[in-house]
Amino acid sequence: MSLPIDAVLDALRSALQQNAQVILKAPPGAGKSTQLPLSLVTHPCFDGRIILLEPRRLAARNIAYYLAAQLGESVGERIGFRVRGESKVSAQTRLEIVTEGVLTRMLQRDPELSGVSLVIFDEYHERSLHADTALAFCLESQMALRDDLHLLVMSATLDQQALQDLLPDAAYIESQGRCFAVDIHYRPLSAQQYLDEALERAVLFASQNYQGSILVFLPGTGEIKRLQQRLEASLDRQIAICPLYGQLDAKAQQAAIAPAPSNQRKVVLATNIAETSLTIEGIEVVIDSGLERRAHWDAKSGISQLKTVSIAQSSAEQRAGRAGRLMPGHCIRLYSESHLQQQAKVPMPEILRSDLSQLALELAQWGCSDASELSWLTQPPAAHLSQAQKQLQQLGALTHNLQLTPLGQRMSQIGTEPRLAAMLAQAQHEAPNALPLCAIITALLEDPVKQASSNFATQLHLFQQQKLAPRYRQRAQQLLQQLAPKQQVTWQNLNWQDIVLRDDECAYWLSYAFTDRLALKRGDSHRYQLASGQGAQLSQDDPLSQSPALLVLALNQTQQGDSRIFTALPCNIEALAQRKPQAFDWQTVVFWHEEKGALIAEEQYRYGQLILARKPAPSSAMSTEAKQQALAQALSKQLEKSGLSALPMTESAWQKLTRARCAAHWQAGGPWPALDDAALIANVDTWLAPFLTQINRLSQLAQLEWHSVLDSYLGWDQVQWLSRELPTHFTSAIGHRYAIVYHENQPPCLSLRLQEMYGQSQTPMVAEGKQAVMLELLSPAQRPIQRTQDLAGFWQGSYKEVQKEMKGRYPKHVWPDDPAHHQPSLKTKRQQQSS
């Protein structure tokens, strides 16, 4: 079958042979994921294997089976694939289709990618974290180890300029897509309309007015199931309703992708899994909700928030293109054209919104201590990466200087996400007989079971009773064979029903993965405090809320207040402390007691931020440093409520702070430390704590020498510069001293009588001549008569009007015609004559 990509295949093969890097832009339906790799197998231009990177397992499998069928072969011959938990490759394999994590593992095991001639990055516009990481590693491998390795980056909606900036020497080729028109219809929801209702109406409308099958894009599985129920009650029973999302078993996914039986139609209800790389036969109509669900990670809390957001313009283009792949089609958008134009052109890269603990572990294994040493289309945020490295240190994977520990080495070989890898590696080292239980736990947490109960124990028992999809057992078996290959016979004969699933045993091993997620109930409620210090809650009627302690396995940050717990396991803290005593300890803690208004010392039995027991400690237990930090924390909390102005600083100290802020704003005399209110409140323990050694109560703060506090924070050079370049006073030509008043975001102001400025032609300047002073010129009675930052212009301009008025009002004083060259004086004419 002829496809648009055929027109550029010769040029592509030539570019790949002549260039180490090639960029291909081809719209949906051009054949870049199928026809292109097939042509490289049937008309080879490289001796080695070709790796085709696909972002999703479903696409990787389907492309492999489709291409193998085109060659009349079985998968595993010339066309093979590798995804997590499943591999079909052989010595004959020329094209290996892999998912992103698999390619990263291949690179870590063999940075040279021995035997590989070409790596193809398909659908790169999705900007997954794994794809960005793999490309960065490939580029370094290409530069340092394999100058004969070729890279092809493909996308339908890529940011061409950004990618060409990253790969300046790459050849660029563009393919046209199919010319099947897609009519776009905008039907935005009204304010009173629910999404489920609007989608149902759109499906019914499309089924009655258009031919062919219908593809509906929804944000998540919950919306898919609700719409499926509505359509089963309202849609013609001859139309099949097929859900399509990542957690479905392979059989159900294939039913959604396969062509509808002859003379029948189907409605496919899909997440954004169907945006790219999949051709669903017979689709003529797309209904686009305009929404998708994305996880956004918060570096401060270390918790992700699952958000339903509007899709980017490129995603809308991809979705509409599904209707025009094989024939002309229609796309109904449940939003307005103006709304679409307001959205981002491309989605936010995953590297900017995700937990980077997996990336941090990959970098440590790669031997890269600084992410900026690698080439990235988008640099990983330093704050997010630092937080991820701290989490890995908590898990025991990294040393203080970010090197892999022995545990981290074992974790990096496992290939699952770091929390679960920590649990598996610990079991592998400490108690191999616990590996079956940990493998079950990992399989269930990698691919969460959609169920009503939040109690993880329910999922474990469903697994043991063989009431879950076979893929969970297959994944657990694969993990066992990987972690303890010498016991392969044992694992093959394993009776899963014999595995003990006690809550305390599960909690023990899970505590290695979720060190910061032990949670203690707050009073008689459904709210809990996590060991990380964060708050979390269950729904009020959740039976799990009767548990005094939980190990939280899945939670989602909410817009405000406590995070929402989705999956947890009851935990016996006493039993956990007996088996894992190193995680619990007695600590002397000094803190500010709000009601008593004083510092208190306590002995606290703690796990992370959780206080499990406490007893009084003598005041002699208070170290100077502990007192300083406790007072600083209490003061910081108070200032968060009342603002920095609650500090009892003297007026002159406030002016010094304002002068420093002005200098920073004018970009003069720096570098300056952070001086805004928020930064000073957040960093009280840095700039104020050292001066709290003699303070026992917050009321004693007024006794501090605030100029010394500020001088210490600003630094000697900056304080000297302030005194010299931003003076507090101005001395007039006749010797009088006047205060210069500084205000943020305003010029400094100087008020003095106009006659004292006689003889001066230029406005006084500060900050190394960068900032003119605002002169407030006063009458002999010290009333304002003029404000100016241009004294020379005033003398030559509006002074004439002022002179005329002042002569009439103050005839005894001198009002010269040339004030810029006149002797300054506050004396009257008679006083000047008599002297």
Side-chain angles (χ1 to χ4, degrees):
M1 181 174 62
S2 176
L3 289 171
I5 198 73
D6 293 338
V8 298
L9 284 179
D10 289 341
L12 259 171
R13 281 193 288 265
S14 176
L16 285 169
Q17 289 176 305
Q18 297 174 23
N19 298 270
Q21 300 159 0
V22 177
I23 300 169
L24 169 65
K25 183 175 182 179
K32 62 183 181 299
S33 304
T34 52
Q35 199 91 327
L36 167 59
L38 188 64
S39 74
L40 294 174
V41 172
T42 55
H43 299 82
C45 50
F46 299 109
D47 294 331
R49 284 179 298 137
I50 299 169
I51 303 294
L52 172 61
L53 183 69
E54 285 295 332
R56 294 185 174 89
R57 282 178 282 174
L58 177 60
R61 281 197 200 94
N62 276 279
I63 291 172
Y65 278 100
Y66 174 80
L67 296 182
Q70 298 300 303
L71 295 175
E73 298 177 354
S74 297
V75 174
E77 296 181 48
R78 279 188 289 175
I79 309 295
F81 75 89
R82 268 198 270 186
V83 301
R84 188 178 68 195
E86 188 178 1
S87 176
K88 290 192 176 182
V89 294
S90 67
Q92 296 175 259
T93 302
R94 297 276 302 142
L95 172 67
E96 193 171 328
I97 305 165
V98 304
T99 45
E100 294 163 336
V102 173
L103 176 58
T104 310
R105 298 266 63 76
M106 293 170 69
L107 283 158
Q108 293 284 20
R109 285 193 291 267
D110 177 14
E112 294 186 27
L113 288 180
S114 303
V116 175
S117 294
L118 171 65
V119 179
I120 304 174
F121 291 80
D122 194 15
E123 309 296 355
Y124 187 70
H125 65 272
E126 292 197 14
R127 297 299 310 282
S128 73
L129 180 56
H130 273 301
D132 276 350
T133 305
L135 180 58
F137 287 178
C138 279
L139 288 172
E140 183 168 68
S141 178
Q142 194 180 54
M143 179 179 67
L145 303 171
R146 286 283 310 277
D147 58 2
D148 63 330
L149 179 65
H150 296 261
L151 304 178
L152 171 59
V153 182
M154 309 193 303
S155 173
T157 54
L158 52 75
D159 185 341
Q160 176 184 339
Q161 188 56 55
L163 202 50
Q164 286 183 310
D165 290 342
L166 177 67
L167 309 173
D169 299 324
Y172 177 78
I173 294 177
E174 188 165 340
S175 168
Q176 299 303 310
R178 286 193 179 277
C179 297
F180 295 127
V182 176
D183 293 330
I184 306 295
H185 312 274
Y186 291 95
R187 297 178 61 177
L189 275 67
S190 65
Q192 296 79 28
Q193 201 171 20
Y194 290 105
L195 178 63
D196 293 352
E197 175 193 354
L199 286 166
E200 181 185 15
R201 289 187 178 182
V203 172
L204 292 174
F205 173 84
S207 67
Q208 295 164 5
N209 291 274
Y210 303 126
Q211 300 298 313
S213 292
I214 302 167
L215 172 60
V216 186
F217 282 101
L218 299 103
T221 56
E223 290 84 355
I224 287 175
K225 290 177 180 178
R226 289 198 300 273
L227 182 57
Q228 183 176 1
Q229 289 179 345
R230 297 179 73 111
L231 293 176
E232 285 172 348
S234 60
L235 199 62
D236 186 333
R237 294 188 179 276
Q238 296 301 311
I239 301 177
I241 303 170
C242 303
L244 179 60
Y245 50 88
Q247 285 76 33
L248 276 179
D249 58 55
K251 184 177 180 181
Q253 289 179 343
Q254 288 303 321
I257 297 168
S262 179
N263 300 320
Q264 288 191 13
R265 304 165 71 187
K266 64 180 177 180
V267 176
V268 179
L269 310 180
T271 60
N272 57 8
I273 191 174
E275 270 186 25
T276 57
S277 299
L278 289 176
T279 298
I280 303 176
E281 300 289 344
I283 296 297
E284 291 189 40
V285 183
V286 164
I287 299 173
D288 182 9
S289 68
L291 301 172
E292 64 182 346
R293 196 154 289 134
R294 287 190 178 275
H296 288 258
W297 190 72
D298 178 65
K300 184 177 180 181
S301 66
I303 300 171
S304 289
Q305 181 178 359
L306 203 58
K307 295 181 179 180
T308 300
V309 298
S310 294
I311 59 173
Q313 294 180 34
S314 61
S315 295
E317 179 185 339
Q318 289 272 16
R319 291 182 176 189
R322 302 290 105 183
R325 278 211 156 184
L326 303 175
M327 64 201 78
H330 301 269
C331 177
I332 300 173
R333 290 173 170 167
L334 300 186
Y335 47 92
S336 66
E337 187 172 8
S338 61
H339 173 82
L340 178 61
Q341 295 305 317
Q342 293 169 11
Q343 303 312 307
K345 292 190 178 300
V346 294
M348 179 187 291
E350 194 178 2
I351 203 168
L352 296 179
R353 57 179 176 81
S354 294
D355 177 2
L356 299 185
S357 55
Q358 181 71 53
L359 174 61
L361 187 64
E362 298 287 2
L363 290 174
Q365 187 184 2
W366 191 254
C368 177
S369 58
D370 183 356
S372 64
E373 295 173 358
L374 300 177
S375 299
W376 304 90
L377 193 59
T378 303
Q379 281 282 341
H384 289 202
L385 194 55
S386 174
Q387 181 74 5
Q389 289 163 340
K390 289 177 183 176
Q391 184 186 104
L392 290 176
Q393 287 171 330
Q394 273 189 335
L395 292 172
L398 293 184
T399 64
H400 70 281
N401 59 352
L402 305 182
Q403 301 298 307
L404 283 176
T405 63
L407 176 66
Q409 292 280 3
R410 295 196 299 273
M411 287 170 58
S412 65
Q413 301 302 317
I414 292 174
T416 189
E417 69 101 5
R419 286 185 184 273
L420 300 177
M423 175 186 67
L424 292 166
Q426 190 67 34
Q428 184 185 34
H429 177 68
E430 179 185 329
N433 62 334
L435 280 174
L437 172 59
C438 293
I440 295 172
I441 291 171
T442 300
L444 292 171
L445 291 177
E446 282 182 338
D447 188 2
V449 178
K450 299 296 179 182
Q451 57 157 16
S453 174
S454 60
N455 193 336
F456 187 61
T458 303
Q459 299 182 33
L460 290 167
H461 289 292
L462 287 172
F463 177 95
Q464 198 165 51
Q465 294 163 14
Q466 300 187 50
K467 293 184 178 180
L468 297 180
R471 68 178 183 275
Y472 290 103
R473 187 159 295 186
Q474 292 166 2
R475 174 57 174 159
Q477 192 82 46
Q478 187 254 344
L479 283 167
L480 289 177
Q481 292 171 357
Q482 175 190 347
L483 293 166
K486 292 180 180 180
Q487 301 182 46
Q488 186 167 354
V489 175
T490 303
W491 304 139
Q492 287 173 345
N493 298 322
L494 181 66
N495 186 347
W496 295 96
Q497 292 179 315
D498 291 339
I499 297 172
V500 177
L501 299 179
R502 294 196 319 270
D503 285 356
D504 57 347
E505 182 71 12
C506 295
Y508 172 71
W509 292 109
L510 280 164
S511 70
Y512 284 104
F514 299 94
T515 56
D516 54 340
R517 298 277 185 85
L518 184 63
L520 202 60
K521 192 170 184 178
R522 293 174 169 177
D524 187 21
S525 74
H526 59 290
R527 301 175 64 233
Y528 290 78
Q529 182 188 351
L530 299 174
S532 64
Q534 301 292 320
Q537 63 179 334
L538 291 157
S539 59
Q540 291 186 342
D541 57 350
D542 193 320
L544 204 55
S545 64
Q546 301 304 311
S547 302
L550 299 172
L551 200 61
V552 177
L553 312 180
L555 74 167
N556 181 27
Q557 189 178 26
T558 55
Q559 293 288 352
Q560 55 186 358
D562 293 343
S563 297
R564 171 78 185 280
I565 299 172
F566 286 104
T567 308
L569 185 73
C571 181
N572 184 321
I573 291 183
E574 291 77 14
L576 183 61
Q578 287 179 1
R579 291 193 64 180
K580 202 176 179 183
Q582 70 276 13
F584 298 77
D585 63 344
W586 282 97
Q587 300 177 17
T588 300
V589 178
V590 179
F591 63 94
W592 178 259
H593 197 290
E594 194 70 38
E595 293 180 3
K596 294 181 180 180
L599 290 172
I600 299 293
E602 269 190 354
E603 294 289 334
Q604 296 180 352
Y605 186 53
R606 299 170 70 101
Y607 179 98
Q609 297 297 312
L610 297 178
I611 303 171
L612 306 173
R614 61 206 321 162
K615 58 186 179 182
S619 57
S620 59
M622 295 188 194
S623 68
T624 300
E625 183 180 356
K627 285 175 58 178
Q628 290 174 340
Q629 292 302 315
L631 279 169
Q633 289 173 11
L635 182 57
S636 181
K637 289 181 180 178
Q638 187 182 89
L639 295 178
E640 285 176 359
K641 296 177 182 177
S642 54
L644 193 72
S645 59
L647 285 177
M649 285 202 288
T650 61
E651 182 58 37
S652 61
W654 281 115
Q655 266 293 296
K656 176 174 283 187
L657 176 59
T658 302
R659 287 157 59 211
R661 287 173 168 176
C662 288
H665 178 70
W666 297 330
Q667 298 182 347
W672 299 94
L675 296 167
D676 58 282
D677 282 15
L680 289 173
I681 291 172
N683 298 316
V684 161
D685 59 339
T686 301
W687 65 278
L688 187 52
F691 294 86
L692 301 178
T693 53
Q694 303 303 315
I695 301 291
N696 291 312
R697 297 180 180 276
L698 295 181
S699 59
Q700 297 173 322
L701 287 171
Q703 302 171 12
L704 291 180
E705 177 48 60
W706 285 101
H707 277 283
S708 298
V709 174
L710 291 174
D711 289 353
S712 175
Y713 184 57
L714 296 174
W716 170 259
D717 291 340
Q718 277 66 39
V719 170
Q720 296 303 306
W721 186 91
L722 275 182
S723 299
R724 183 176 65 254
E725 299 296 339
L726 264 67
T728 59
H729 289 78
F730 171 81
T731 303
S732 71
I734 60 176
H736 291 176
R737 198 162 176 262
Y738 296 97
I740 302 175
V741 180
Y742 294 84
H743 295 285
E744 292 181 58
N745 303 317
Q746 295 180 29
C749 186
L750 171 63
S751 296
L752 76 173
R753 281 171 284 192
L754 182 148
Q755 295 130 303
E756 290 192 74
M757 295 305 294
Y758 289 165
Q760 292 203 40
S761 60
Q762 298 297 324
T763 306
M765 306 292 288
V766 296
E768 300 174 330
K770 293 183 177 181
Q771 181 64 43
V773 173
M774 175 64 72
L775 291 172
E776 184 178 56
L777 301 174
L778 309 177
S779 70
Q782 300 197 46
R783 294 190 179 90
I785 55 176
Q786 184 72 31
R787 285 173 63 87
T788 182
Q789 283 184 281
D790 181 9
L791 186 62
F794 169 63
W795 290 145
Q796 296 173 8
S798 57
Y799 170 73
K800 299 300 181 184
E801 293 297 321
V802 171
Q803 178 192 37
K804 182 178 178 181
E805 181 182 349
M806 290 297 103
K807 278 184 175 181
R809 186 173 296 180
Y810 303 101
K812 295 181 180 181
H813 290 264
V814 178
W815 304 101
D817 292 332
D818 186 11
H821 297 92
H822 192 83
Q823 184 72 23
S825 175
L826 296 178
K827 296 180 179 180
T828 61
K829 295 175 184 177
R830 178 180 295 180
Q831 288 171 333
Q832 291 184 35
Q833 290 171 357
S834 61
S835 60

